[in-house]
Amino acid sequence: VERLDAVDSTNDVARARLLAGVVAADTPLLIRAETQSAGRGRRGRAWLDAPGTGLLMSLALRAGAGSPLSPDADRWWRVAAEFSLAVADAIEDAAGMQIGTVGLKWPNDLVVRNIEGGVTRSFRKVGGVLAEAGDAGSESAWLVVGLGLNVRGDVSKLDPALAATATSLEIATGRPIDREALFTDAVARLEGRLGALAEGRFDVANWRSRQLLEGCEVELEGGAGEAISGRVVGHDGASGALILSVDGTERAILAGEVTKVVRIAIP
Ligand code: BTN
């Protein structure tokens, strides 16, 4: 782990370390910063933070012997999935939440469910993941997986547009969260998960069971920007695809963004 104070983007620092050749294939490097001046989100969005309120971190991985990156780049999505799972497990532990309260919104958003009577009534995003890869197929192939988590504070102060959909962990749970303890626990869990991935084991059961969108009616924007709506009938543990039923036909969506959850599945 390398800890920094203020950076432009931890993803950029991670990439710079990879290009400088200081990351060994069997020892991924985690960069953590207190604040970012140019944090990036998915799809060209910005990721805003107030200093000292979140966890901003990027994992730098290089392909090669002993690496969690499989030789087949079609499996690299699993690194981002394991990162989200490590953080989801750590959050539930830190906040004393019931298992399953933290969900994954495909592909890798971390959300906190509002559960009433065993049923998810609504949810708010607390974290997101941005993966960037380079030199695919070559000896020097690399992957950066950046994860941002809002631990405390009011995100609507950063951007009023986030007020309806996003929040911080402390606001969602109504409990104080020890950021350092959460970080230490998440890193320990991540190490275990990356070790398992390097041995070819992916935690498909936990990945499936945390999926928020299972059974939901959604609208999404596919990788090429096309609008698609349908019902989520599965999450494919081999390809990472979201499986949608669209007018009775199943479609596997490999990349995209769910723009609207029309109906939350019950339970
Ligand atoms: C998203 O939900 O759109 C993804 C957000 C990813 C934000 C994290 S914060 C640490 C890392 N550095 C960045 O510039 N982005 C990621």
Side-chain angles (χ1 to χ4, degrees), residues 8-11 36 38-42 45 47 55-58 109 125 127-130 146-148:
D8 44 5
S9 157
T10 54
N11 269 32
Q36 298 183 130
R40 293 194 298 277
R42 298 179 72 227
R45 289 184 300 249
W47 183 267
L55 290 178
L56 308 166
M57 46 196 179
S58 295
D109 281 0
K125 175 168 172 170
V129 170
L130 176 68
L147 190 149

mmCIF file with all atom_site columns, all heavy atoms in Angstrom, residues 8-11 36 38-42 45 47 55-58 109 125 127-130 146-148, ligand 1:
data_model
loop_
_atom_site.group_PDB
_atom_site.id
_atom_site.type_symbol
_atom_site.label_atom_id
_atom_site.label_alt_id
_atom_site.label_comp_id
_atom_site.label_asym_id
_atom_site.label_entity_id
_atom_site.label_seq_id
_atom_site.pdbx_PDB_ins_code
_atom_site.Cartn_x
_atom_site.Cartn_y
_atom_site.Cartn_z
_atom_site.occupancy
_atom_site.B_iso_or_equiv
_atom_site.pdbx_formal_charge
_atom_site.auth_seq_id
_atom_site.auth_comp_id
_atom_site.auth_asym_id
_atom_site.auth_atom_id
_atom_site.pdbx_PDB_model_num
ATOM   1   N N   . ASP A 1 8   ? -3.990  13.961 -8.390  1.00 0.00 ? 8   ASP A N   1
ATOM   2   C CA  . ASP A 1 8   ? -4.991  14.261 -9.416  1.00 0.00 ? 8   ASP A CA  1
ATOM   3   C C   . ASP A 1 8   ? -6.027  13.130 -9.404  1.00 0.00 ? 8   ASP A C   1
ATOM   4   O O   . ASP A 1 8   ? -7.195  13.335 -9.141  1.00 0.00 ? 8   ASP A O   1
ATOM   5   C CB  . ASP A 1 8   ? -4.339  14.491 -10.792 1.00 0.00 ? 8   ASP A CB  1
ATOM   6   C CG  . ASP A 1 8   ? -3.253  13.459 -11.132 1.00 0.00 ? 8   ASP A CG  1
ATOM   7   O OD1 . ASP A 1 8   ? -3.058  12.507 -10.340 1.00 0.00 ? 8   ASP A OD1 1
ATOM   8   O OD2 . ASP A 1 8   ? -2.630  13.587 -12.181 1.00 0.00 ? 8   ASP A OD2 1
ATOM   9   N N   . SER A 1 9   ? -5.556  11.911 -9.692  1.00 0.00 ? 9   SER A N   1
ATOM   10  C CA  . SER A 1 9   ? -6.426  10.733 -9.656  1.00 0.00 ? 9   SER A CA  1
ATOM   11  C C   . SER A 1 9   ? -5.566  9.548  -9.239  1.00 0.00 ? 9   SER A C   1
ATOM   12  O O   . SER A 1 9   ? -4.467  9.355  -9.780  1.00 0.00 ? 9   SER A O   1
ATOM   13  C CB  . SER A 1 9   ? -7.029  10.493 -11.047 1.00 0.00 ? 9   SER A CB  1
ATOM   14  O OG  . SER A 1 9   ? -7.407  9.139  -11.190 1.00 0.00 ? 9   SER A OG  1
ATOM   15  N N   . THR A 1 10  ? -6.039  8.751  -8.295  1.00 0.00 ? 10  THR A N   1
ATOM   16  C CA  . THR A 1 10  ? -5.246  7.577  -7.880  1.00 0.00 ? 10  THR A CA  1
ATOM   17  C C   . THR A 1 10  ? -5.102  6.597  -9.042  1.00 0.00 ? 10  THR A C   1
ATOM   18  O O   . THR A 1 10  ? -4.126  5.853  -9.105  1.00 0.00 ? 10  THR A O   1
ATOM   19  C CB  . THR A 1 10  ? -5.881  6.856  -6.668  1.00 0.00 ? 10  THR A CB  1
ATOM   20  O OG1 . THR A 1 10  ? -7.246  6.543  -6.977  1.00 0.00 ? 10  THR A OG1 1
ATOM   21  C CG2 . THR A 1 10  ? -5.826  7.715  -5.413  1.00 0.00 ? 10  THR A CG2 1
ATOM   22  N N   . ASN A 1 11  ? -6.068  6.599  -9.991  1.00 0.00 ? 11  ASN A N   1
ATOM   23  C CA  . ASN A 1 11  ? -5.917  5.727  -11.157 1.00 0.00 ? 11  ASN A CA  1
ATOM   24  C C   . ASN A 1 11  ? -4.690  6.138  -11.973 1.00 0.00 ? 11  ASN A C   1
ATOM   25  O O   . ASN A 1 11  ? -3.982  5.289  -12.502 1.00 0.00 ? 11  ASN A O   1
ATOM   26  C CB  . ASN A 1 11  ? -7.167  5.785  -12.044 1.00 0.00 ? 11  ASN A CB  1
ATOM   27  C CG  . ASN A 1 11  ? -8.192  4.722  -11.672 1.00 0.00 ? 11  ASN A CG  1
ATOM   28  O OD1 . ASN A 1 11  ? -8.309  4.353  -10.503 1.00 0.00 ? 11  ASN A OD1 1
ATOM   29  N ND2 . ASN A 1 11  ? -8.934  4.242  -12.657 1.00 0.00 ? 11  ASN A ND2 1
ATOM   30  N N   . GLN A 1 36  ? -8.663  13.928 -4.177  1.00 0.00 ? 36  GLN A N   1
ATOM   31  C CA  . GLN A 1 36  ? -8.282  13.968 -5.594  1.00 0.00 ? 36  GLN A CA  1
ATOM   32  C C   . GLN A 1 36  ? -8.737  15.290 -6.201  1.00 0.00 ? 36  GLN A C   1
ATOM   33  O O   . GLN A 1 36  ? -9.843  15.757 -5.912  1.00 0.00 ? 36  GLN A O   1
ATOM   34  C CB  . GLN A 1 36  ? -8.965  12.830 -6.370  1.00 0.00 ? 36  GLN A CB  1
ATOM   35  C CG  . GLN A 1 36  ? -8.576  11.448 -5.895  1.00 0.00 ? 36  GLN A CG  1
ATOM   36  C CD  . GLN A 1 36  ? -9.211  10.334 -6.732  1.00 0.00 ? 36  GLN A CD  1
ATOM   37  O OE1 . GLN A 1 36  ? -8.537  9.429  -7.177  1.00 0.00 ? 36  GLN A OE1 1
ATOM   38  N NE2 . GLN A 1 36  ? -10.508 10.400 -6.943  1.00 0.00 ? 36  GLN A NE2 1
ATOM   39  N N   . ALA A 1 38  ? -8.754  15.593 -9.610  1.00 0.00 ? 38  ALA A N   1
ATOM   40  C CA  . ALA A 1 38  ? -9.351  15.250 -10.906 1.00 0.00 ? 38  ALA A CA  1
ATOM   41  C C   . ALA A 1 38  ? -9.811  13.794 -10.882 1.00 0.00 ? 38  ALA A C   1
ATOM   42  O O   . ALA A 1 38  ? -9.451  12.996 -11.761 1.00 0.00 ? 38  ALA A O   1
ATOM   43  C CB  . ALA A 1 38  ? -8.346  15.492 -12.024 1.00 0.00 ? 38  ALA A CB  1
ATOM   44  N N   . GLY A 1 39  ? -10.609 13.436 -9.860  1.00 0.00 ? 39  GLY A N   1
ATOM   45  C CA  . GLY A 1 39  ? -11.120 12.068 -9.748  1.00 0.00 ? 39  GLY A CA  1
ATOM   46  C C   . GLY A 1 39  ? -12.067 11.784 -10.899 1.00 0.00 ? 39  GLY A C   1
ATOM   47  O O   . GLY A 1 39  ? -12.891 12.623 -11.261 1.00 0.00 ? 39  GLY A O   1
ATOM   48  N N   . ARG A 1 40  ? -11.930 10.595 -11.470 1.00 0.00 ? 40  ARG A N   1
ATOM   49  C CA  . ARG A 1 40  ? -12.770 10.237 -12.619 1.00 0.00 ? 40  ARG A CA  1
ATOM   50  C C   . ARG A 1 40  ? -13.767 9.150  -12.248 1.00 0.00 ? 40  ARG A C   1
ATOM   51  O O   . ARG A 1 40  ? -13.443 8.227  -11.497 1.00 0.00 ? 40  ARG A O   1
ATOM   52  C CB  . ARG A 1 40  ? -11.907 9.692  -13.755 1.00 0.00 ? 40  ARG A CB  1
ATOM   53  C CG  . ARG A 1 40  ? -10.982 10.701 -14.381 1.00 0.00 ? 40  ARG A CG  1
ATOM   54  C CD  . ARG A 1 40  ? -10.436 10.161 -15.705 1.00 0.00 ? 40  ARG A CD  1
ATOM   55  N NE  . ARG A 1 40  ? -9.649  8.942  -15.543 1.00 0.00 ? 40  ARG A NE  1
ATOM   56  C CZ  . ARG A 1 40  ? -8.382  8.922  -15.197 1.00 0.00 ? 40  ARG A CZ  1
ATOM   57  N NH1 . ARG A 1 40  ? -7.754  10.047 -14.950 1.00 0.00 ? 40  ARG A NH1 1
ATOM   58  N NH2 . ARG A 1 40  ? -7.736  7.774  -15.083 1.00 0.00 ? 40  ARG A NH2 1
ATOM   59  N N   . GLY A 1 41  ? -14.966 9.262  -12.810 1.00 0.00 ? 41  GLY A N   1
ATOM   60  C CA  . GLY A 1 41  ? -15.961 8.207  -12.679 1.00 0.00 ? 41  GLY A CA  1
ATOM   61  C C   . GLY A 1 41  ? -16.112 7.504  -14.011 1.00 0.00 ? 41  GLY A C   1
ATOM   62  O O   . GLY A 1 41  ? -15.355 7.776  -14.960 1.00 0.00 ? 41  GLY A O   1
ATOM   63  N N   . ARG A 1 42  ? -17.067 6.618  -14.097 1.00 0.00 ? 42  ARG A N   1
ATOM   64  C CA  . ARG A 1 42  ? -17.318 5.923  -15.352 1.00 0.00 ? 42  ARG A CA  1
ATOM   65  C C   . ARG A 1 42  ? -17.961 6.887  -16.340 1.00 0.00 ? 42  ARG A C   1
ATOM   66  O O   . ARG A 1 42  ? -18.564 7.871  -15.964 1.00 0.00 ? 42  ARG A O   1
ATOM   67  C CB  . ARG A 1 42  ? -18.246 4.724  -15.119 1.00 0.00 ? 42  ARG A CB  1
ATOM   68  C CG  . ARG A 1 42  ? -17.635 3.683  -14.194 1.00 0.00 ? 42  ARG A CG  1
ATOM   69  C CD  . ARG A 1 42  ? -18.602 2.533  -13.965 1.00 0.00 ? 42  ARG A CD  1
ATOM   70  N NE  . ARG A 1 42  ? -18.717 1.705  -15.146 1.00 0.00 ? 42  ARG A NE  1
ATOM   71  C CZ  . ARG A 1 42  ? -19.861 1.289  -15.665 1.00 0.00 ? 42  ARG A CZ  1
ATOM   72  N NH1 . ARG A 1 42  ? -21.005 1.630  -15.111 1.00 0.00 ? 42  ARG A NH1 1
ATOM   73  N NH2 . ARG A 1 42  ? -19.875 0.531  -16.735 1.00 0.00 ? 42  ARG A NH2 1
ATOM   74  N N   . ARG A 1 45  ? -17.639 10.789 -16.369 1.00 0.00 ? 45  ARG A N   1
ATOM   75  C CA  . ARG A 1 45  ? -18.097 11.623 -15.250 1.00 0.00 ? 45  ARG A CA  1
ATOM   76  C C   . ARG A 1 45  ? -16.936 11.927 -14.305 1.00 0.00 ? 45  ARG A C   1
ATOM   77  O O   . ARG A 1 45  ? -15.921 11.251 -14.315 1.00 0.00 ? 45  ARG A O   1
ATOM   78  C CB  . ARG A 1 45  ? -19.192 10.896 -14.464 1.00 0.00 ? 45  ARG A CB  1
ATOM   79  C CG  . ARG A 1 45  ? -20.513 10.795 -15.202 1.00 0.00 ? 45  ARG A CG  1
ATOM   80  C CD  . ARG A 1 45  ? -21.577 10.151 -14.312 1.00 0.00 ? 45  ARG A CD  1
ATOM   81  N NE  . ARG A 1 45  ? -21.203 8.829  -13.904 1.00 0.00 ? 45  ARG A NE  1
ATOM   82  C CZ  . ARG A 1 45  ? -21.807 7.713  -14.312 1.00 0.00 ? 45  ARG A CZ  1
ATOM   83  N NH1 . ARG A 1 45  ? -22.823 7.778  -15.140 1.00 0.00 ? 45  ARG A NH1 1
ATOM   84  N NH2 . ARG A 1 45  ? -21.411 6.537  -13.888 1.00 0.00 ? 45  ARG A NH2 1
ATOM   85  N N   . TRP A 1 47  ? -15.501 12.222 -10.354 1.00 0.00 ? 47  TRP A N   1
ATOM   86  C CA  . TRP A 1 47  ? -15.767 11.652 -9.029  1.00 0.00 ? 47  TRP A CA  1
ATOM   87  C C   . TRP A 1 47  ? -15.280 12.686 -8.031  1.00 0.00 ? 47  TRP A C   1
ATOM   88  O O   . TRP A 1 47  ? -14.086 12.949 -7.912  1.00 0.00 ? 47  TRP A O   1
ATOM   89  C CB  . TRP A 1 47  ? -15.053 10.319 -8.839  1.00 0.00 ? 47  TRP A CB  1
ATOM   90  C CG  . TRP A 1 47  ? -15.357 9.684  -7.516  1.00 0.00 ? 47  TRP A CG  1
ATOM   91  C CD1 . TRP A 1 47  ? -14.639 9.815  -6.358  1.00 0.00 ? 47  TRP A CD1 1
ATOM   92  C CD2 . TRP A 1 47  ? -16.476 8.836  -7.188  1.00 0.00 ? 47  TRP A CD2 1
ATOM   93  N NE1 . TRP A 1 47  ? -15.241 9.091  -5.343  1.00 0.00 ? 47  TRP A NE1 1
ATOM   94  C CE2 . TRP A 1 47  ? -16.363 8.483  -5.823  1.00 0.00 ? 47  TRP A CE2 1
ATOM   95  C CE3 . TRP A 1 47  ? -17.556 8.347  -7.930  1.00 0.00 ? 47  TRP A CE3 1
ATOM   96  C CZ2 . TRP A 1 47  ? -17.296 7.648  -5.192  1.00 0.00 ? 47  TRP A CZ2 1
ATOM   97  C CZ3 . TRP A 1 47  ? -18.475 7.530  -7.293  1.00 0.00 ? 47  TRP A CZ3 1
ATOM   98  C CH2 . TRP A 1 47  ? -18.345 7.186  -5.941  1.00 0.00 ? 47  TRP A CH2 1
ATOM   99  N N   . LEU A 1 55  ? -12.935 6.859  0.962   1.00 0.00 ? 55  LEU A N   1
ATOM   100 C CA  . LEU A 1 55  ? -11.792 6.018  0.628   1.00 0.00 ? 55  LEU A CA  1
ATOM   101 C C   . LEU A 1 55  ? -11.615 6.110  -0.877  1.00 0.00 ? 55  LEU A C   1
ATOM   102 O O   . LEU A 1 55  ? -12.545 5.824  -1.636  1.00 0.00 ? 55  LEU A O   1
ATOM   103 C CB  . LEU A 1 55  ? -12.029 4.564  1.049   1.00 0.00 ? 55  LEU A CB  1
ATOM   104 C CG  . LEU A 1 55  ? -12.041 4.295  2.558   1.00 0.00 ? 55  LEU A CG  1
ATOM   105 C CD1 . LEU A 1 55  ? -12.338 2.823  2.839   1.00 0.00 ? 55  LEU A CD1 1
ATOM   106 C CD2 . LEU A 1 55  ? -10.705 4.681  3.199   1.00 0.00 ? 55  LEU A CD2 1
ATOM   107 N N   . LEU A 1 56  ? -10.441 6.574  -1.277  1.00 0.00 ? 56  LEU A N   1
ATOM   108 C CA  . LEU A 1 56  ? -10.113 6.739  -2.687  1.00 0.00 ? 56  LEU A CA  1
ATOM   109 C C   . LEU A 1 56  ? -8.896  5.870  -2.939  1.00 0.00 ? 56  LEU A C   1
ATOM   110 O O   . LEU A 1 56  ? -7.830  6.128  -2.364  1.00 0.00 ? 56  LEU A O   1
ATOM   111 C CB  . LEU A 1 56  ? -9.776  8.212  -2.986  1.00 0.00 ? 56  LEU A CB  1
ATOM   112 C CG  . LEU A 1 56  ? -10.813 9.224  -2.511  1.00 0.00 ? 56  LEU A CG  1
ATOM   113 C CD1 . LEU A 1 56  ? -10.242 10.641 -2.525  1.00 0.00 ? 56  LEU A CD1 1
ATOM   114 C CD2 . LEU A 1 56  ? -12.057 9.150  -3.385  1.00 0.00 ? 56  LEU A CD2 1
ATOM   115 N N   . MET A 1 57  ? -9.049  4.840  -3.727  1.00 0.00 ? 57  MET A N   1
ATOM   116 C CA  . MET A 1 57  ? -7.930  3.907  -3.873  1.00 0.00 ? 57  MET A CA  1
ATOM   117 C C   . MET A 1 57  ? -7.936  3.247  -5.234  1.00 0.00 ? 57  MET A C   1
ATOM   118 O O   . MET A 1 57  ? -8.985  3.084  -5.850  1.00 0.00 ? 57  MET A O   1
ATOM   119 C CB  . MET A 1 57  ? -7.958  2.868  -2.765  1.00 0.00 ? 57  MET A CB  1
ATOM   120 C CG  . MET A 1 57  ? -9.311  2.264  -2.512  1.00 0.00 ? 57  MET A CG  1
ATOM   121 S SD  . MET A 1 57  ? -9.345  1.427  -0.906  1.00 0.00 ? 57  MET A SD  1
ATOM   122 C CE  . MET A 1 57  ? -11.036 0.868  -0.874  1.00 0.00 ? 57  MET A CE  1
ATOM   123 N N   . SER A 1 58  ? -6.732  2.904  -5.681  1.00 0.00 ? 58  SER A N   1
ATOM   124 C CA  . SER A 1 58  ? -6.594  2.238  -6.971  1.00 0.00 ? 58  SER A CA  1
ATOM   125 C C   . SER A 1 58  ? -5.599  1.104  -6.853  1.00 0.00 ? 58  SER A C   1
ATOM   126 O O   . SER A 1 58  ? -4.521  1.260  -6.287  1.00 0.00 ? 58  SER A O   1
ATOM   127 C CB  . SER A 1 58  ? -6.100  3.217  -8.044  1.00 0.00 ? 58  SER A CB  1
ATOM   128 O OG  . SER A 1 58  ? -7.053  4.216  -8.286  1.00 0.00 ? 58  SER A OG  1
ATOM   129 N N   . ASP A 1 109 ? -21.121 -0.966 -8.983  1.00 0.00 ? 109 ASP A N   1
ATOM   130 C CA  . ASP A 1 109 ? -21.485 0.054  -7.998  1.00 0.00 ? 109 ASP A CA  1
ATOM   131 C C   . ASP A 1 109 ? -21.776 -0.611 -6.660  1.00 0.00 ? 109 ASP A C   1
ATOM   132 O O   . ASP A 1 109 ? -22.387 -1.682 -6.603  1.00 0.00 ? 109 ASP A O   1
ATOM   133 C CB  . ASP A 1 109 ? -22.765 0.796  -8.420  1.00 0.00 ? 109 ASP A CB  1
ATOM   134 C CG  . ASP A 1 109 ? -22.497 1.842  -9.485  1.00 0.00 ? 109 ASP A CG  1
ATOM   135 O OD1 . ASP A 1 109 ? -21.342 1.997  -9.902  1.00 0.00 ? 109 ASP A OD1 1
ATOM   136 O OD2 . ASP A 1 109 ? -23.482 2.499  -9.895  1.00 0.00 ? 109 ASP A OD2 1
ATOM   137 N N   . LYS A 1 125 ? -26.453 4.694  -3.884  1.00 0.00 ? 125 LYS A N   1
ATOM   138 C CA  . LYS A 1 125 ? -25.059 4.385  -4.222  1.00 0.00 ? 125 LYS A CA  1
ATOM   139 C C   . LYS A 1 125 ? -24.115 5.013  -3.207  1.00 0.00 ? 125 LYS A C   1
ATOM   140 O O   . LYS A 1 125 ? -24.256 6.188  -2.877  1.00 0.00 ? 125 LYS A O   1
ATOM   141 C CB  . LYS A 1 125 ? -24.762 4.910  -5.627  1.00 0.00 ? 125 LYS A CB  1
ATOM   142 C CG  . LYS A 1 125 ? -23.306 4.764  -6.065  1.00 0.00 ? 125 LYS A CG  1
ATOM   143 C CD  . LYS A 1 125 ? -23.159 5.033  -7.557  1.00 0.00 ? 125 LYS A CD  1
ATOM   144 C CE  . LYS A 1 125 ? -21.698 5.080  -7.963  1.00 0.00 ? 125 LYS A CE  1
ATOM   145 N NZ  . LYS A 1 125 ? -21.515 5.111  -9.426  1.00 0.00 ? 125 LYS A NZ  1
ATOM   146 N N   . GLY A 1 127 ? -20.589 3.844  -3.470  1.00 0.00 ? 127 GLY A N   1
ATOM   147 C CA  . GLY A 1 127 ? -19.257 3.687  -4.049  1.00 0.00 ? 127 GLY A CA  1
ATOM   148 C C   . GLY A 1 127 ? -19.323 3.230  -5.485  1.00 0.00 ? 127 GLY A C   1
ATOM   149 O O   . GLY A 1 127 ? -20.360 2.752  -5.956  1.00 0.00 ? 127 GLY A O   1
ATOM   150 N N   . GLY A 1 128 ? -18.206 3.414  -6.176  1.00 0.00 ? 128 GLY A N   1
ATOM   151 C CA  . GLY A 1 128 ? -18.141 2.991  -7.576  1.00 0.00 ? 128 GLY A CA  1
ATOM   152 C C   . GLY A 1 128 ? -16.735 2.579  -7.955  1.00 0.00 ? 128 GLY A C   1
ATOM   153 O O   . GLY A 1 128 ? -15.779 2.850  -7.226  1.00 0.00 ? 128 GLY A O   1
ATOM   154 N N   . VAL A 1 129 ? -16.652 1.905  -9.082  1.00 0.00 ? 129 VAL A N   1
ATOM   155 C CA  . VAL A 1 129 ? -15.378 1.344  -9.550  1.00 0.00 ? 129 VAL A CA  1
ATOM   156 C C   . VAL A 1 129 ? -15.113 1.789  -10.981 1.00 0.00 ? 129 VAL A C   1
ATOM   157 O O   . VAL A 1 129 ? -16.015 1.795  -11.814 1.00 0.00 ? 129 VAL A O   1
ATOM   158 C CB  . VAL A 1 129 ? -15.443 -0.209 -9.500  1.00 0.00 ? 129 VAL A CB  1
ATOM   159 C CG1 . VAL A 1 129 ? -14.243 -0.827 -10.211 1.00 0.00 ? 129 VAL A CG1 1
ATOM   160 C CG2 . VAL A 1 129 ? -15.515 -0.692 -8.058  1.00 0.00 ? 129 VAL A CG2 1
ATOM   161 N N   . LEU A 1 130 ? -13.875 2.168  -11.239 1.00 0.00 ? 130 LEU A N   1
ATOM   162 C CA  . LEU A 1 130 ? -13.459 2.531  -12.595 1.00 0.00 ? 130 LEU A CA  1
ATOM   163 C C   . LEU A 1 130 ? -12.221 1.720  -12.954 1.00 0.00 ? 130 LEU A C   1
ATOM   164 O O   . LEU A 1 130 ? -11.166 1.882  -12.346 1.00 0.00 ? 130 LEU A O   1
ATOM   165 C CB  . LEU A 1 130 ? -13.125 4.032  -12.659 1.00 0.00 ? 130 LEU A CB  1
ATOM   166 C CG  . LEU A 1 130 ? -12.595 4.525  -14.004 1.00 0.00 ? 130 LEU A CG  1
ATOM   167 C CD1 . LEU A 1 130 ? -13.670 4.462  -15.077 1.00 0.00 ? 130 LEU A CD1 1
ATOM   168 C CD2 . LEU A 1 130 ? -12.056 5.946  -13.884 1.00 0.00 ? 130 LEU A CD2 1
ATOM   169 N N   . GLY A 1 146 ? -9.839  1.318  -9.867  1.00 0.00 ? 146 GLY A N   1
ATOM   170 C CA  . GLY A 1 146 ? -10.004 2.381  -8.876  1.00 0.00 ? 146 GLY A CA  1
ATOM   171 C C   . GLY A 1 146 ? -11.350 2.256  -8.192  1.00 0.00 ? 146 GLY A C   1
ATOM   172 O O   . GLY A 1 146 ? -12.363 1.987  -8.855  1.00 0.00 ? 146 GLY A O   1
ATOM   173 N N   . LEU A 1 147 ? -11.354 2.422  -6.870  1.00 0.00 ? 147 LEU A N   1
ATOM   174 C CA  . LEU A 1 147 ? -12.617 2.335  -6.134  1.00 0.00 ? 147 LEU A CA  1
ATOM   175 C C   . LEU A 1 147 ? -12.759 3.565  -5.242  1.00 0.00 ? 147 LEU A C   1
ATOM   176 O O   . LEU A 1 147 ? -11.841 3.904  -4.497  1.00 0.00 ? 147 LEU A O   1
ATOM   177 C CB  . LEU A 1 147 ? -12.660 1.038  -5.320  1.00 0.00 ? 147 LEU A CB  1
ATOM   178 C CG  . LEU A 1 147 ? -14.003 0.674  -4.687  1.00 0.00 ? 147 LEU A CG  1
ATOM   179 C CD1 . LEU A 1 147 ? -14.153 -0.850 -4.590  1.00 0.00 ? 147 LEU A CD1 1
ATOM   180 C CD2 . LEU A 1 147 ? -14.190 1.285  -3.302  1.00 0.00 ? 147 LEU A CD2 1
ATOM   181 N N   . GLY A 1 148 ? -13.880 4.216  -5.361  1.00 0.00 ? 148 GLY A N   1
ATOM   182 C CA  . GLY A 1 148 ? -14.180 5.371  -4.516  1.00 0.00 ? 148 GLY A CA  1
ATOM   183 C C   . GLY A 1 148 ? -15.370 5.036  -3.642  1.00 0.00 ? 148 GLY A C   1
ATOM   184 O O   . GLY A 1 148 ? -16.363 4.474  -4.114  1.00 0.00 ? 148 GLY A O   1
HETATM 185 C C1  . BTN B 2 .   ? -18.152 5.420  -10.922 1.00 0.00 ? 1   BTN B C1  1
HETATM 186 O O1  . BTN B 2 .   ? -19.023 4.982  -10.168 1.00 0.00 ? 1   BTN B O1  1
HETATM 187 O O2  . BTN B 2 .   ? -18.434 6.171  -11.858 1.00 0.00 ? 1   BTN B O2  1
HETATM 188 C C2  . BTN B 2 .   ? -16.717 5.034  -10.663 1.00 0.00 ? 1   BTN B C2  1
HETATM 189 C C3  . BTN B 2 .   ? -16.058 5.921  -9.651  1.00 0.00 ? 1   BTN B C3  1
HETATM 190 C C4  . BTN B 2 .   ? -14.605 5.576  -9.400  1.00 0.00 ? 1   BTN B C4  1
HETATM 191 C C5  . BTN B 2 .   ? -13.929 6.584  -8.499  1.00 0.00 ? 1   BTN B C5  1
HETATM 192 C C6  . BTN B 2 .   ? -12.580 6.127  -8.015  1.00 0.00 ? 1   BTN B C6  1
HETATM 193 S S1  . BTN B 2 .   ? -11.937 7.141  -6.723  1.00 0.00 ? 1   BTN B S1  1
HETATM 194 C C7  . BTN B 2 .   ? -10.378 6.370  -6.838  1.00 0.00 ? 1   BTN B C7  1
HETATM 195 C C8  . BTN B 2 .   ? -10.127 6.164  -8.317  1.00 0.00 ? 1   BTN B C8  1
HETATM 196 N N1  . BTN B 2 .   ? -9.501  7.324  -8.915  1.00 0.00 ? 1   BTN B N1  1
HETATM 197 C C9  . BTN B 2 .   ? -10.282 7.915  -9.837  1.00 0.00 ? 1   BTN B C9  1
HETATM 198 O O3  . BTN B 2 .   ? -9.984  8.933  -10.493 1.00 0.00 ? 1   BTN B O3  1
HETATM 199 N N2  . BTN B 2 .   ? -11.448 7.229  -9.945  1.00 0.00 ? 1   BTN B N2  1
HETATM 200 C C10 . BTN B 2 .   ? -11.471 6.078  -9.057  1.00 0.00 ? 1   BTN B C10 1
#
